[in-house]
């Protein structure tokens, strides 16, 4: 039976032929399509792309951050500069406001103090032309031209003078400014006293030798004193009269009684003599020429030292009264009368002074203040 027959063993192959077949199979296998290897390769490529992408993203983010930091720094510096500039502007504006407030809060009576002399001079020159009046069109025109440099635009060219009814001429002699009242920063009312001489023709009747009455025309001169208030406007460009002069009546001289305060009068003759000796030495130095530097040794504060420097000569001191200060030991109020002489004319006059002096011990005195005598008004 076939079933129990021995199978034929295959004939042995040639060894070289086996090797060739193996090589051939290997080569053919390498050339075959292998999905697993392809997937692995694709995954590797994807990983490489992710790495590249991450690397590129990291570089971009770093660059962006660097740029943001740089721009931020520039912005911060710019804001700092702007803030400093704005702060300076605010400070400057604040300083201007404070300065303006301080000027506004200053007393009005102290305003224009340095310009009072200029206001006085301007008003005096104006009143000179205002009170100088002569009849005739030529004289009127000449006066109008002179007044234009003083009057504000819009005021009457003749400053209110009625040339249609001028009886004669008026000439300015001299004037004195009585007071200057400052209304505000720019306006001042100047009260001025003016002396003038008026000349006009008058008719005088007289009888001749024949007994008949005759009329003669003569020039009559009269001196008069006038008072005006002149309103002056001042700004950086100069001065102007902004209203027509107003006449006024000055206040009458007031009669008052003065008396010295006798409270705490010192009765110690020794102290009085020491004080009188000290003040005598002072007044000899105070009036002497070329010794003004020495007066500082008599004052507690050398900056308060005063001197007449030869303007008057010292003659004598009288009526020395010494008063003890209530609350300050060693200090005295001293009132005295000093006779002085004018060097050129020889005329002598008495002048009253009031001192506050301090005794620093060993009969040494120092002047704290020096002024005219203060009286009690009754």
């Amino acid at each position: 039976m076939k079933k129990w027959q021995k199978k034929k063993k295959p004939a042995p192959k040639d060894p070289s032929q086996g090797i060739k077949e193996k090589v051939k199979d290997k080569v053919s296998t390498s050339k075959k399509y292998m999905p697993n290897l392809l997937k692995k390769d694709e995954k590797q490529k994807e990983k490489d792309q992710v790495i590249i992408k991450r690397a590129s993203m990291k570089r971009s983010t770093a660059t962006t951050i660097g740029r943001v930091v740089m721009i931020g720094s520039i912005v911060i510096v710019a804001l700092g500069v702007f803030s400093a500039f704005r702060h300076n502007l605010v400070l400057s504006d604040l300083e201007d406001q404070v300065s303006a407030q301080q000027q506004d809060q200053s007393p009005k009576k102290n305003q224009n103090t340095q310009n009072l002399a200029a206001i006085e001079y301007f008003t005096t020159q104006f009143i000179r032309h205002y009170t100088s009046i002569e009849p005739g069109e030529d004289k009127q025109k000449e006066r109008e031209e002179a007044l234009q440099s003083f009057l504000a635009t819009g005021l009457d060219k003749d400053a209110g003078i009625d040339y249609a009814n001028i009886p004669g001429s008026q000439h300015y002699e001299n004037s004195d400014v009585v007071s200057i009242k400052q209304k505000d920063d720019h306006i001042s009312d100047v009260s001025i006293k003016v002396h003038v001489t008026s000349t006009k023709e008058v008719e005088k009747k007289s009888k001749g030798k024949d007994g008949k009455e005759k009329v003669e025309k003569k020039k009559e001169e009269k001196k008069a004193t006038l008072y005006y208030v002149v309103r002056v406007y001042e700004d950086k460009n100069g001065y102007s009269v902004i209203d027509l002069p107003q006449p006024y009546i000055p206040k009458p001289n007031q009669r008052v009684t003065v008396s010295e305060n006798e409270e705490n009068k010192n009765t110690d003759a020794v102290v009085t003599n020491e004080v009188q000796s000290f003040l005598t030495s002072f007044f000899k130095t105070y009036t002497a020429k070329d010794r003004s530097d020495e007066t500082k040794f008599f004052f507690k504060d050398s900056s308060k030292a005063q001197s007449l420097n030869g303007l008057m000569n010292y003659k004598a001191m009288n009526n020395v009264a010494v008063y003890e200060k209530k609350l300050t030991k060693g200090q005295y109020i001293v009132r005295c009368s000093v006779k002085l002489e004018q060097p050129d004319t020889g005329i002598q006059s008495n002048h009253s002074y009031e001192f506050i002096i301090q005794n620093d011990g060993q009969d040494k005195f120092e002047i704290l203040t020096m002024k005219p005598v203060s009286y009690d008004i009754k």
Side-chain angles (χ1 to χ4, degrees):
M1 294 175 64
K2 278 184 180 180
K3 185 175 177 182
W4 301 103
Q5 288 179 359
K6 291 183 183 179
K7 292 183 180 181
K8 264 185 183 180
K9 293 183 181 180
K13 296 181 181 179
D14 188 0
S16 62
Q17 184 179 356
I19 295 172
K20 287 180 182 179
E21 288 177 357
K22 288 181 180 180
V23 172
K24 185 178 180 180
D25 291 340
K26 195 172 184 180
V27 172
S28 63
T29 303
S30 64
K31 289 182 179 180
K32 286 181 181 179
Y33 173 75
M34 298 181 70
N36 293 334
L37 292 177
L38 181 60
K39 288 181 180 180
K40 185 177 179 181
D41 184 58
E42 288 177 353
K43 288 182 179 180
Q44 186 64 38
K45 286 182 178 180
E46 288 177 0
K47 290 181 180 180
D48 293 342
Q49 288 178 358
V50 170
I51 293 171
I52 293 170
K53 188 175 181 180
R54 286 180 179 175
S56 61
M57 285 180 65
K58 288 180 181 178
R59 287 195 296 272
S60 176
T61 303
T63 304
T64 303
I65 292 174
R67 290 178 179 176
V68 169
V69 171
M70 181 176 67
I71 293 172
S73 301
I74 294 173
V75 171
I76 291 172
V77 172
L79 288 174
V81 172
F82 174 76
S83 178
F85 179 71
R86 183 173 175 274
H87 181 67
N88 289 336
L89 287 179
V90 170
L91 283 179
S92 177
D93 183 60
L94 183 60
E95 289 174 356
D96 293 340
Q97 291 178 7
V98 171
S99 178
Q101 289 176 358
Q102 290 175 347
Q103 292 176 2
D104 291 340
Q105 293 172 359
S106 60
K108 289 185 177 180
K109 64 181 181 179
N110 292 332
Q111 294 169 350
N112 300 334
T113 302
Q114 297 178 351
N115 298 333
L116 291 181
I119 293 173
E120 181 175 340
Y121 176 79
F122 170 83
T123 307
T124 301
Q125 296 306 309
F126 163 73
I127 213 72
R128 180 192 299 274
H129 294 288
Y130 173 76
T131 56
S132 297
I133 304 168
E134 294 186 67
E137 291 184 3
D138 293 341
K139 295 295 183 181
Q140 180 184 2
K141 187 176 180 181
E142 183 179 335
R143 180 175 175 273
E144 287 179 358
E145 291 177 352
L147 287 174
Q148 292 317 297
S149 61
F150 297 91
L151 296 173
T153 303
L155 293 180
D156 180 22
K157 293 182 179 179
D158 291 319
I161 299 299
D162 182 8
Y163 266 89
N165 298 290
I166 295 179
S169 62
Q170 178 177 278
H171 296 280
Y172 169 90
E173 298 294 340
N174 55 69
S175 62
D176 297 297
V177 171
V178 178
S179 67
I180 299 177
K181 294 182 180 179
Q182 295 169 297
K183 311 298 289 185
D184 57 29
D185 290 347
H186 299 283
I187 299 175
S188 300
D189 283 345
V190 184
S191 300
I192 189 167
K193 177 182 179 181
V194 190
H195 299 283
V196 297
T197 300
S198 62
T199 304
K200 63 179 181 179
E201 285 188 349
V202 294
E203 293 183 348
K204 289 192 173 183
K205 296 180 180 180
S206 62
K207 289 185 178 181
K209 292 180 180 180
D210 55 1
K212 293 182 179 180
E213 188 179 83
K214 61 178 182 179
V215 178
E216 293 180 342
K217 289 185 177 181
K218 292 185 178 181
K219 287 187 176 181
E220 183 182 67
E221 286 190 355
K222 286 186 177 180
K223 295 186 180 296
T225 301
L226 310 173
Y227 295 88
Y228 292 103
V229 175
V230 182
R231 180 156 289 184
V232 177
Y233 178 84
E234 173 196 1
D235 62 13
K236 62 181 181 180
N237 297 320
Y239 304 90
S240 293
V241 175
I242 59 173
D243 194 6
L244 299 180
Q246 302 293 329
Y248 79 97
I249 297 176
K251 292 181 179 180
N253 294 333
Q254 185 179 2
R255 298 182 63 83
V256 297
T257 301
V258 298
S259 63
E260 292 187 16
N261 186 348
E262 297 291 335
E263 291 184 12
N264 301 320
K265 190 171 184 177
N266 182 66
T267 56
D268 189 337
V270 175
V271 172
T272 300
N273 289 335
E274 290 174 351
V275 169
Q276 184 166 351
S277 176
F278 168 75
L279 290 180
T280 299
S281 300
F282 165 72
F283 275 109
K284 288 181 179 179
T285 307
Y286 173 69
T287 56
K289 191 174 183 180
D290 299 328
R291 293 185 64 185
S292 57
D293 289 342
E294 297 179 27
T295 59
K296 64 184 180 182
F297 299 112
F298 291 86
F299 286 81
K300 179 76 173 179
D301 183 354
S302 60
S303 64
K304 295 181 180 180
Q306 304 177 39
S307 173
L308 291 180
N309 196 25
L311 181 66
M312 303 286 279
N313 295 329
Y314 171 79
K315 301 302 292 182
M317 183 168 56
N318 303 301
N319 303 321
V320 180
V322 181
Y323 304 85
E324 295 181 8
K325 294 199 72 176
K326 291 181 179 180
L327 302 178
T328 310
K329 187 177 180 180
Q331 287 190 6
Y332 302 91
I333 297 173
V334 183
R335 298 187 181 101
C336 61
S337 176
V338 180
K339 182 176 287 187
L340 302 176
E341 180 187 66
Q342 296 180 15
D344 297 330
T345 64
I347 295 176
Q348 297 182 2
S349 55
N350 290 305
H351 305 272
S352 299
Y353 293 92
E354 181 176 291
F355 296 86
I356 295 179
I357 65 174
Q358 178 174 289
N359 185 354
D360 287 342
Q362 299 180 353
D363 301 333
K364 181 183 177 183
F365 294 94
E366 290 179 313
I367 298 172
L368 302 180
T369 63
M370 173 185 177
K371 63 180 182 178
V373 169
S374 299
Y375 292 103
D376 291 339
I377 306 299
K378 296 181 179 179

